Amino acid sequence: MPHYLITGASSGIGAALATALLRRGDSVTALARRKDRLDLLAAGKGRLHPASCDVTDAGATAAAIDEATGALGPVDCAILNAGMYEPQDTTKIDPAAYARHMDVNYMGVVNALPRLIDGMLARGTGQIAIVSSVAGWRGLPKAAAYGPTKAALISLAESMTFDLAPRGIDVKVICPGFVKTESTAVNDYDMPGLISADTAAIEIIRGLRSNQFVIQFPKHFTRKMGLLRWLPDRTFFRTVGARTGFPQP
Ligand SMILES: NC(=O)c1ccc[n+]([C@@H]2O[C@H](COP(=O)([O-])OP(=O)(O)OC[C@H]3O[C@@H](n4cnc5c(N)ncnc54)[C@H](OP(=O)(O)O)[C@@H]3O)[C@@H](O)[C@H]2O)c1
């Protein structure tokens, strides 16, 4: 029975993933700060280890992974999903908000890696899936603090692959479009292609079994977002600006 470790498992995509995996009978370590939310997941069928932990604390994260290994055995697959999103207005930059995003979204992933990689290298097998976003593909309105953390995660996963794939560790990067969760509840605009967290969990579980490096969904939306990467810059700014209420000269 594989052991999945999911960070950010107390709500949204992480909670839906943990629930789906537990229902299948898998073992799950669910890590997040809100322990009461993690305990609710225990209603599932599989074996749950709730790990109350802040991913910005490297020592606490390492200790939580050690405890999880003690409770459920070595981690077969880690889904590093904990994240935060606060919309930004770059006419009024608050550096603390940018540092907070980097600390949770980027360093929160990095902090989990040493223990996971050590364990997987020792066994010569394992899978690490890092939750990025289509917002990491190009700079988007309001995403000035969030987007760079997601772009950094894609770059991190690519670099890791060179070292780890030859040693039996499969690295994947997950790029969801809009998913209905606590994080997106702050958005005051129509979110095209919005899907439920349960649908996102199904897509991720399917993607983990595939040989794709990038797990992206829903495809009808992410394919359009992917095209933005190839647009000439001026066309990109005008197209996205016109559709999002940020008209460009
Ligand atoms: N929703 C979308 O449209 C969308 C699209 C693309 C990518 N994503 C990414 O998907 C991931 C999950 O987001 P979501 O949409 O499911 O939002 P969510 O419901 O707000 O979930 C965020 C999770 O991260 C955890 N978390 C936040 N800060 C943490 C910290 N310092 N330490 C430990 N855990 C922490 C939260 O748990 P606690 O508060 O209990 O700690 C919660 O479980 C994020 O990385 C997000 O960027 C979401």
Side-chain angles (χ1 to χ4, degrees):
M1 199 185 297
H3 175 188
Y4 290 84
L5 180 139
I6 305 167
T7 69
S10 62
S11 62
I13 298 169
L17 254 176
T19 304
L21 292 168
L22 285 166
R23 238 182 240 138
R24 275 188 353 180
D26 293 319
S27 300
V28 173
T29 292
L31 188 151
R33 292 165 303 178
R34 290 170 293 178
K35 184 161 185 318
D36 53 330
R37 295 284 201 96
L38 299 177
D39 289 337
L40 290 178
L41 297 170
K45 277 190 191 140
R47 294 199 303 159
L48 173 77
H49 173 71
S52 179
C53 173
D54 186 327
V55 293
T56 64
D57 182 334
T61 305
I65 294 171
D66 287 345
E67 270 175 38
T69 305
L72 299 179
V75 175
D76 297 293
C77 174
I79 302 161
L80 303 178
N81 162 78
M84 62 170 290
Y85 165 66
E86 288 168 4
Q88 302 296 317
D89 173 351
T90 55
T91 64
K92 306 177 199 86
I93 290 203
D94 169 15
Y98 289 68
R100 218 164 34 244
H101 279 80
M102 215 28 123
D103 223 18
V104 176
N105 295 3
Y106 183 72
M107 288 311 298
V109 168
V110 173
N111 289 339
L113 291 177
R115 280 296 198 281
L116 291 170
I117 292 173
D118 282 352
M120 290 179 186
L121 282 178
R123 290 182 301 120
T125 183
Q127 188 173 49
I128 298 175
I130 295 176
V131 179
S132 173
S133 167
V134 294
W137 292 350
R138 282 212 81 157
L140 298 173
K142 298 189 178 181
Y146 176 79
T149 68
K150 296 300 180 179
L153 289 173
I154 294 170
S155 185
L156 170 70
E158 288 175 354
S159 291
M160 284 168 59
T161 296
F162 288 104
D163 289 322
L164 301 182
R167 293 171 170 84
I169 304 175
D170 180 38
V171 179
K172 294 197 183 300
V173 67
I174 300 173
C175 292
F178 288 113
V179 183
K180 193 164 193 269
T181 65
E182 289 176 18
S183 278
T184 47
V186 298
N187 288 341
D188 55 3
Y189 52 86
D190 270 349
M191 291 177 269
L194 184 71
I195 58 170
S196 70
D198 289 338
T199 302
I202 292 168
E203 293 280 1
I204 291 171
I205 291 169
R206 186 184 300 142
L208 290 173
R209 285 195 305 258
S210 77
N211 60 5
Q212 303 286 307
F213 171 67
V214 180
I215 302 173
Q216 53 174 295
F217 54 85
K219 293 260 179 1
H220 63 87
F221 177 67
T222 57
R223 283 202 186 111
K224 280 186 206 149
M225 293 299 289
L227 289 177
L228 296 180
R229 282 180 288 190
W230 309 111
L231 286 182
D233 294 332
R234 195 51 55 201
T235 312
F236 162 71
F237 290 123
R238 287 198 178 129
T239 307
V240 173
R243 280 180 169 66
T244 54
F246 292 84
Q248 296 299 297

PDB file of all heavy atoms in Angstrom, residues 209-228:
ATOM      1  N   ARG A 209       0.329   8.774 -12.529  1.00  0.00           N
ATOM      2  CA  ARG A 209       0.584   7.460 -13.151  1.00  0.00           C
ATOM      3  C   ARG A 209       1.125   7.611 -14.566  1.00  0.00           C
ATOM      4  O   ARG A 209       1.555   6.633 -15.165  1.00  0.00           O
ATOM      5  CB  ARG A 209      -0.718   6.648 -13.215  1.00  0.00           C
ATOM      6  CG  ARG A 209      -1.155   6.064 -11.877  1.00  0.00           C
ATOM      7  CD  ARG A 209      -2.211   4.996 -12.097  1.00  0.00           C
ATOM      8  NE  ARG A 209      -3.348   5.517 -12.859  1.00  0.00           N
ATOM      9  CZ  ARG A 209      -4.516   5.864 -12.326  1.00  0.00           C
ATOM     10  NH1 ARG A 209      -4.699   5.725 -11.036  1.00  0.00           N
ATOM     11  NH2 ARG A 209      -5.501   6.301 -13.088  1.00  0.00           N
ATOM     12  N   SER A 210       1.053   8.823 -15.133  1.00  0.00           N
ATOM     13  CA  SER A 210       1.446   9.024 -16.534  1.00  0.00           C
ATOM     14  C   SER A 210       2.957   9.239 -16.629  1.00  0.00           C
ATOM     15  O   SER A 210       3.645   9.358 -15.623  1.00  0.00           O
ATOM     16  CB  SER A 210       0.730  10.259 -17.103  1.00  0.00           C
ATOM     17  OG  SER A 210       1.364  11.436 -16.613  1.00  0.00           O
ATOM     18  N   ASN A 211       3.443   9.302 -17.884  1.00  0.00           N
ATOM     19  CA  ASN A 211       4.872   9.591 -18.030  1.00  0.00           C
ATOM     20  C   ASN A 211       5.119  11.067 -18.353  1.00  0.00           C
ATOM     21  O   ASN A 211       6.189  11.441 -18.801  1.00  0.00           O
ATOM     22  CB  ASN A 211       5.512   8.670 -19.087  1.00  0.00           C
ATOM     23  CG  ASN A 211       4.843   8.866 -20.439  1.00  0.00           C
ATOM     24  OD1 ASN A 211       3.985   9.747 -20.574  1.00  0.00           O
ATOM     25  ND2 ASN A 211       5.229   8.078 -21.418  1.00  0.00           N
ATOM     26  N   GLN A 212       4.086  11.910 -18.135  1.00  0.00           N
ATOM     27  CA  GLN A 212       4.234  13.345 -18.375  1.00  0.00           C
ATOM     28  C   GLN A 212       5.017  14.000 -17.237  1.00  0.00           C
ATOM     29  O   GLN A 212       4.817  13.633 -16.075  1.00  0.00           O
ATOM     30  CB  GLN A 212       2.855  14.015 -18.417  1.00  0.00           C
ATOM     31  CG  GLN A 212       1.895  13.459 -19.446  1.00  0.00           C
ATOM     32  CD  GLN A 212       2.282  13.893 -20.854  1.00  0.00           C
ATOM     33  OE1 GLN A 212       2.437  15.077 -21.081  1.00  0.00           O
ATOM     34  NE2 GLN A 212       2.453  12.949 -21.752  1.00  0.00           N
ATOM     35  N   PHE A 213       5.850  14.977 -17.567  1.00  0.00           N
ATOM     36  CA  PHE A 213       6.539  15.758 -16.520  1.00  0.00           C
ATOM     37  C   PHE A 213       5.580  16.799 -15.945  1.00  0.00           C
ATOM     38  O   PHE A 213       5.515  17.001 -14.730  1.00  0.00           O
ATOM     39  CB  PHE A 213       7.780  16.431 -17.124  1.00  0.00           C
ATOM     40  CG  PHE A 213       8.437  17.424 -16.192  1.00  0.00           C
ATOM     41  CD1 PHE A 213       9.058  17.006 -15.027  1.00  0.00           C
ATOM     42  CD2 PHE A 213       8.429  18.789 -16.488  1.00  0.00           C
ATOM     43  CE1 PHE A 213       9.647  17.922 -14.156  1.00  0.00           C
ATOM     44  CE2 PHE A 213       9.020  19.709 -15.633  1.00  0.00           C
ATOM     45  CZ  PHE A 213       9.628  19.269 -14.460  1.00  0.00           C
ATOM     46  N   VAL A 214       4.811  17.447 -16.808  1.00  0.00           N
ATOM     47  CA  VAL A 214       3.850  18.459 -16.344  1.00  0.00           C
ATOM     48  C   VAL A 214       2.444  17.848 -16.319  1.00  0.00           C
ATOM     49  O   VAL A 214       1.976  17.317 -17.320  1.00  0.00           O
ATOM     50  CB  VAL A 214       3.839  19.700 -17.272  1.00  0.00           C
ATOM     51  CG1 VAL A 214       2.826  20.734 -16.780  1.00  0.00           C
ATOM     52  CG2 VAL A 214       5.220  20.333 -17.337  1.00  0.00           C
ATOM     53  N   ILE A 215       1.800  17.936 -15.157  1.00  0.00           N
ATOM     54  CA  ILE A 215       0.393  17.523 -15.043  1.00  0.00           C
ATOM     55  C   ILE A 215      -0.424  18.813 -15.087  1.00  0.00           C
ATOM     56  O   ILE A 215      -0.345  19.629 -14.167  1.00  0.00           O
ATOM     57  CB  ILE A 215       0.153  16.777 -13.710  1.00  0.00           C
ATOM     58  CG1 ILE A 215       1.057  15.544 -13.602  1.00  0.00           C
ATOM     59  CG2 ILE A 215      -1.316  16.394 -13.568  1.00  0.00           C
ATOM     60  CD1 ILE A 215       1.000  14.853 -12.234  1.00  0.00           C
ATOM     61  N   GLN A 216      -1.169  19.021 -16.171  1.00  0.00           N
ATOM     62  CA  GLN A 216      -1.921  20.280 -16.304  1.00  0.00           C
ATOM     63  C   GLN A 216      -3.396  19.980 -16.568  1.00  0.00           C
ATOM     64  O   GLN A 216      -3.726  19.019 -17.251  1.00  0.00           O
ATOM     65  CB  GLN A 216      -1.339  21.132 -17.416  1.00  0.00           C
ATOM     66  CG  GLN A 216      -1.193  20.432 -18.740  1.00  0.00           C
ATOM     67  CD  GLN A 216      -0.750  21.391 -19.824  1.00  0.00           C
ATOM     68  OE1 GLN A 216      -1.454  22.319 -20.199  1.00  0.00           O
ATOM     69  NE2 GLN A 216       0.437  21.159 -20.339  1.00  0.00           N
ATOM     70  N   PHE A 217      -4.253  20.811 -16.009  1.00  0.00           N
ATOM     71  CA  PHE A 217      -5.697  20.603 -16.160  1.00  0.00           C
ATOM     72  C   PHE A 217      -6.438  21.862 -15.704  1.00  0.00           C
ATOM     73  O   PHE A 217      -5.857  22.644 -14.941  1.00  0.00           O
ATOM     74  CB  PHE A 217      -6.148  19.393 -15.311  1.00  0.00           C
ATOM     75  CG  PHE A 217      -5.736  19.503 -13.864  1.00  0.00           C
ATOM     76  CD1 PHE A 217      -6.517  20.201 -12.939  1.00  0.00           C
ATOM     77  CD2 PHE A 217      -4.533  18.956 -13.419  1.00  0.00           C
ATOM     78  CE1 PHE A 217      -6.128  20.328 -11.610  1.00  0.00           C
ATOM     79  CE2 PHE A 217      -4.141  19.087 -12.096  1.00  0.00           C
ATOM     80  CZ  PHE A 217      -4.933  19.768 -11.195  1.00  0.00           C
ATOM     81  N   PRO A 218      -7.712  22.082 -16.125  1.00  0.00           N
ATOM     82  CA  PRO A 218      -8.383  21.349 -17.201  1.00  0.00           C
ATOM     83  C   PRO A 218      -7.749  21.730 -18.540  1.00  0.00           C
ATOM     84  O   PRO A 218      -7.447  22.908 -18.771  1.00  0.00           O
ATOM     85  CB  PRO A 218      -9.827  21.840 -17.099  1.00  0.00           C
ATOM     86  CG  PRO A 218      -9.726  23.219 -16.519  1.00  0.00           C
ATOM     87  CD  PRO A 218      -8.520  23.207 -15.618  1.00  0.00           C
ATOM     88  N   LYS A 219      -7.602  20.728 -19.406  1.00  0.00           N
ATOM     89  CA  LYS A 219      -6.797  20.896 -20.632  1.00  0.00           C
ATOM     90  C   LYS A 219      -7.350  22.004 -21.540  1.00  0.00           C
ATOM     91  O   LYS A 219      -6.572  22.744 -22.136  1.00  0.00           O
ATOM     92  CB  LYS A 219      -6.747  19.579 -21.415  1.00  0.00           C
ATOM     93  CG  LYS A 219      -5.985  18.484 -20.690  1.00  0.00           C
ATOM     94  CD  LYS A 219      -4.579  18.367 -21.236  1.00  0.00           C
ATOM     95  CE  LYS A 219      -3.697  17.330 -20.575  1.00  0.00           C
ATOM     96  NZ  LYS A 219      -4.207  16.517 -19.530  1.00  0.00           N
ATOM     97  N   HIS A 220      -8.700  22.128 -21.640  1.00  0.00           N
ATOM     98  CA  HIS A 220      -9.248  23.142 -22.556  1.00  0.00           C
ATOM     99  C   HIS A 220      -8.821  24.543 -22.120  1.00  0.00           C
ATOM    100  O   HIS A 220      -8.702  25.452 -22.932  1.00  0.00           O
ATOM    101  CB  HIS A 220     -10.777  23.031 -22.668  1.00  0.00           C
ATOM    102  CG  HIS A 220     -11.501  23.292 -21.373  1.00  0.00           C
ATOM    103  ND1 HIS A 220     -11.871  24.539 -20.962  1.00  0.00           N
ATOM    104  CD2 HIS A 220     -11.888  22.446 -20.388  1.00  0.00           C
ATOM    105  CE1 HIS A 220     -12.476  24.455 -19.783  1.00  0.00           C
ATOM    106  NE2 HIS A 220     -12.492  23.195 -19.411  1.00  0.00           N
ATOM    107  N   PHE A 221      -8.529  24.742 -20.836  1.00  0.00           N
ATOM    108  CA  PHE A 221      -8.072  26.040 -20.339  1.00  0.00           C
ATOM    109  C   PHE A 221      -6.538  26.125 -20.359  1.00  0.00           C
ATOM    110  O   PHE A 221      -5.971  27.124 -20.814  1.00  0.00           O
ATOM    111  CB  PHE A 221      -8.601  26.262 -18.921  1.00  0.00           C
ATOM    112  CG  PHE A 221      -8.119  27.544 -18.294  1.00  0.00           C
ATOM    113  CD1 PHE A 221      -8.524  28.769 -18.800  1.00  0.00           C
ATOM    114  CD2 PHE A 221      -7.241  27.525 -17.217  1.00  0.00           C
ATOM    115  CE1 PHE A 221      -8.065  29.963 -18.225  1.00  0.00           C
ATOM    116  CE2 PHE A 221      -6.783  28.703 -16.643  1.00  0.00           C
ATOM    117  CZ  PHE A 221      -7.196  29.923 -17.157  1.00  0.00           C
ATOM    118  N   THR A 222      -5.867  25.078 -19.896  1.00  0.00           N
ATOM    119  CA  THR A 222      -4.399  25.166 -19.795  1.00  0.00           C
ATOM    120  C   THR A 222      -3.742  25.231 -21.179  1.00  0.00           C
ATOM    121  O   THR A 222      -2.694  25.831 -21.336  1.00  0.00           O
ATOM    122  CB  THR A 222      -3.809  23.989 -18.988  1.00  0.00           C
ATOM    123  OG1 THR A 222      -4.191  22.752 -19.590  1.00  0.00           O
ATOM    124  CG2 THR A 222      -4.280  24.021 -17.551  1.00  0.00           C
ATOM    125  N   ARG A 223      -4.410  24.627 -22.197  1.00  0.00           N
ATOM    126  CA  ARG A 223      -3.832  24.721 -23.553  1.00  0.00           C
ATOM    127  C   ARG A 223      -3.826  26.175 -24.019  1.00  0.00           C
ATOM    128  O   ARG A 223      -2.858  26.647 -24.601  1.00  0.00           O
ATOM    129  CB  ARG A 223      -4.626  23.851 -24.529  1.00  0.00           C
ATOM    130  CG  ARG A 223      -4.266  22.385 -24.365  1.00  0.00           C
ATOM    131  CD  ARG A 223      -4.594  21.571 -25.607  1.00  0.00           C
ATOM    132  NE  ARG A 223      -4.345  20.164 -25.321  1.00  0.00           N
ATOM    133  CZ  ARG A 223      -5.293  19.250 -25.213  1.00  0.00           C
ATOM    134  NH1 ARG A 223      -6.549  19.557 -25.422  1.00  0.00           N
ATOM    135  NH2 ARG A 223      -4.973  17.991 -24.932  1.00  0.00           N
ATOM    136  N   LYS A 224      -4.928  26.893 -23.714  1.00  0.00           N
ATOM    137  CA  LYS A 224      -4.989  28.322 -24.107  1.00  0.00           C
ATOM    138  C   LYS A 224      -3.933  29.110 -23.331  1.00  0.00           C
ATOM    139  O   LYS A 224      -3.242  29.962 -23.880  1.00  0.00           O
ATOM    140  CB  LYS A 224      -6.372  28.897 -23.786  1.00  0.00           C
ATOM    141  CG  LYS A 224      -7.416  28.552 -24.815  1.00  0.00           C
ATOM    142  CD  LYS A 224      -8.714  29.283 -24.484  1.00  0.00           C
ATOM    143  CE  LYS A 224      -9.900  28.520 -25.044  1.00  0.00           C
ATOM    144  NZ  LYS A 224     -11.116  28.662 -24.277  1.00  0.00           N
ATOM    145  N   MET A 225      -3.805  28.823 -22.031  1.00  0.00           N
ATOM    146  CA  MET A 225      -2.800  29.523 -21.220  1.00  0.00           C
ATOM    147  C   MET A 225      -1.395  29.228 -21.740  1.00  0.00           C
ATOM    148  O   MET A 225      -0.516  30.087 -21.727  1.00  0.00           O
ATOM    149  CB  MET A 225      -2.904  29.100 -19.756  1.00  0.00           C
ATOM    150  CG  MET A 225      -4.168  29.541 -19.064  1.00  0.00           C
ATOM    151  SD  MET A 225      -4.360  31.339 -19.031  1.00  0.00           S
ATOM    152  CE  MET A 225      -3.094  31.801 -17.875  1.00  0.00           C
ATOM    153  N   GLY A 226      -1.203  27.992 -22.200  1.00  0.00           N
ATOM    154  CA  GLY A 226       0.107  27.594 -22.732  1.00  0.00           C
ATOM    155  C   GLY A 226       0.476  28.415 -23.953  1.00  0.00           C
ATOM    156  O   GLY A 226       1.643  28.774 -24.138  1.00  0.00           O
ATOM    157  N   LEU A 227      -0.538  28.746 -24.762  1.00  0.00           N
ATOM    158  CA  LEU A 227      -0.266  29.525 -25.983  1.00  0.00           C
ATOM    159  C   LEU A 227       0.263  30.916 -25.657  1.00  0.00           C
ATOM    160  O   LEU A 227       1.034  31.498 -26.419  1.00  0.00           O
ATOM    161  CB  LEU A 227      -1.542  29.651 -26.823  1.00  0.00           C
ATOM    162  CG  LEU A 227      -2.014  28.375 -27.518  1.00  0.00           C
ATOM    163  CD1 LEU A 227      -3.329  28.629 -28.252  1.00  0.00           C
ATOM    164  CD2 LEU A 227      -0.950  27.876 -28.493  1.00  0.00           C
ATOM    165  N   LEU A 228      -0.153  31.442 -24.481  1.00  0.00           N
ATOM    166  CA  LEU A 228       0.290  32.789 -24.102  1.00  0.00           C
ATOM    167  C   LEU A 228       1.814  32.876 -24.033  1.00  0.00           C
ATOM    168  O   LEU A 228       2.397  33.943 -24.204  1.00  0.00           O
ATOM    169  CB  LEU A 228      -0.279  33.190 -22.732  1.00  0.00           C
ATOM    170  CG  LEU A 228      -1.789  33.327 -22.604  1.00  0.00           C
ATOM    171  CD1 LEU A 228      -2.162  33.726 -21.183  1.00  0.00           C
ATOM    172  CD2 LEU A 228      -2.314  34.359 -23.603  1.00  0.00           C
TER     173      LEU A 228
END
